[in-house]
Amino acid sequence: MIGELGWRSSTALLLHSALIQAVTFLVRPAATYRALELDVPAFALGVLAASYAVFPLLLALPIGSLVDRLGERRLMAVGSAVVLACSAFLLFWGTSVAALIAGTALLGAGQLACVVGQQAVVANNAESTRLDSAFGYLTFAASLGQALGPLAISLVGGASVRPNTQAIFILSVGMSLVLFLATFVVSSRVSRRKRAAKGAQRSKGSAVSLLKTPGVVRALATSATVLAVVDLTVVYLPALGAERGITAATVGLMLAVRAVFSMVSRLGLGRVSRKLGRMRLLVLSLTVSTASLAVAAIPMPVWLLFIVMAFLGLGLGIGQPLTMSWLSAQAPEGQRGRALALRLAGNRVGQVVLPSAIGVVAVGLGAAGVFLASAVAVGGTMLLLRGVRLDD
């Protein structure tokens, strides 16, 4: 159970978290397959991929402010409705590049609203001593959804090289409808009472004033680095495998191992955090991630690289929920939704800036150089933790 939410409401929240990720990881590849059906040029695929991040970058702060004013469930309902409309739009009218780009951009906006609302529910309803556990369960559900989306494509698409995108979009409409209905099972009673009791304390500050809050910038930088390194691993592990003659199927299994161990790390996060302390656990997770990334750059037997990926999954999996709880604890009352939205915007920026920077630094060194540079980046975030107390 999450905070003061009942079992029914907590289950609906976790279902909502899993479904929004599942729909996202179902629709985005399906849009790419539909674009391939239309024989679009290569640059159009890049525009299609980038369109997903446009609205999250532009709307993150306004949506964060909106959730603090209107409430989490309303924002989740709006986001779910946008995702449902997007799925229906792609099903019936996704027959051109422009339509696919518009649908993908709307998906990004709806996903942002859902995720900000979900995280704000946890931040506003979980006790401070249970934040790590609550965010651990929320991110575990999200990871599960990220695995179910591609699995659904495999089931619907069968053995064909290019799956039936119409069938995939029909499935996404059905899942989006369940997502929308699940919103109304999430209780808004507790968070509404808290907002009424603390309305007089609600800050009207801007994003700049929020960034000046002690610890907020450090939490944002740590979160963005960890998420960007997850993306780099997904992109560059296949390149590393190609350099070492490792088959694509084996690389896929390695990525799956990393993802599974990230999920496992989040299940008992609250218990481990209470035992070790949030600060120690975060430093430990970053240390394990740094060491795993550095070791992965060294030539080794395939079986040993599987073990390294398992440790990398554990380290990176712990980092995200801990930075959520850290940011929630540091943000002033009435601005937690805005702070979490700022975190998501920072993550998007990190996913663009850090890979580009590491790619320049590691040029000429191959995929192994990227892993070494990533290790330096993650290790550098530990310098940001000096003097920070996360266990208050």
Side-chain angles (χ1 to χ4, degrees), residues 270-292:
R271 183 170 58 255
V272 177
S273 177
R274 286 190 294 273
K275 185 175 181 179
L276 297 180
R278 188 182 297 160
M279 177 63 170
R280 290 180 180 175
L281 183 57
L282 183 56
V283 171
L284 178 61
S285 72
L286 294 175
T287 301
V288 170
S289 299
T290 300
S292 300

Side-chain angles (χ1 to χ4, degrees), residues 136-137 139-140 143 262-269 316-318 320-321:
Y137 285 121
T139 52
F140 172 84
S143 297
S262 287
M263 293 170 62
V264 170
S265 71
R266 293 166 175 173
L267 282 176
L269 187 60
L316 295 178
I318 291 172
Q320 283 298 302

Side-chain angles (χ1 to χ4, degrees), residues 306-366:
F306 269 103
I307 296 176
V308 172
M309 287 299 108
F311 276 100
L312 182 61
L314 288 173
L316 295 178
I318 291 172
Q320 283 298 302
L322 282 185
T323 54
M324 289 181 193
S325 53
W326 175 10
L327 193 58
S328 299
Q330 294 297 117
E333 287 289 348
Q335 291 199 63
R336 286 176 173 172
R338 184 180 302 174
L340 290 166
L342 186 62
R343 172 186 169 275
L344 291 174
N347 285 350
R348 292 288 186 269
V349 173
Q351 286 175 295
V352 174
V353 174
L354 191 61
S356 301
I358 287 179
V360 172
V361 171
V363 65
L365 299 178

Side-chain angles (χ1 to χ4, degrees), residues 39-82:
D39 294 321
V40 302
F43 78 88
L45 289 178
V47 174
L48 179 62
S51 64
Y52 176 76
V54 171
F55 282 132
L57 280 174
L58 297 177
L59 301 178
L61 291 179
I63 284 179
S65 179
L66 202 62
V67 70
D68 289 327
R69 295 175 180 276
L70 300 182
E72 304 89 339
R73 193 174 71 171
R74 288 182 182 177
L75 187 66
M76 289 167 62
V78 170
S80 302
V82 170

Side-chain angles (χ1 to χ4, degrees), residues 1 9 23 25 33 43 72 77 160 162 164 208 302 324:
M1 188 169 70
S9 185
V23 171
F25 278 70
Y33 280 121
F43 78 88
E72 304 89 339
S160 59
R162 294 186 179 182
N164 183 345
V208 175
V302 172
M324 289 181 193

Side-chain angles (χ1 to χ4, degrees), residues 142-234:
S143 297
L144 181 61
Q146 291 172 8
L148 291 177
L151 179 61
I153 291 180
S154 299
L155 294 175
V156 174
S160 59
V161 175
R162 294 186 179 182
N164 183 345
T165 52
Q166 198 73 357
I168 294 176
F169 287 134
I170 290 174
L171 179 60
S172 72
V173 169
M175 293 170 65
S176 300
L177 180 59
V178 177
L179 173 76
F180 179 70
L181 295 176
T183 304
F184 300 98
V185 186
V186 178
S187 173
S188 62
R189 176 180 55 84
V190 177
S191 56
R192 185 168 59 241
R193 187 178 68 240
K194 287 189 174 185
R195 282 195 300 274
K198 297 178 180 178
Q201 303 174 15
R202 180 176 292 134
S203 171
K204 303 292 185 181
S206 64
V208 175
S209 64
L210 183 59
L211 288 172
K212 292 180 180 178
T213 303
V216 167
V217 172
R218 299 184 187 192
L220 292 174
T222 303
S223 175
T225 301
V226 170
L227 189 61
V229 169
V230 172
D231 278 3
L232 282 166
T233 303
V234 172

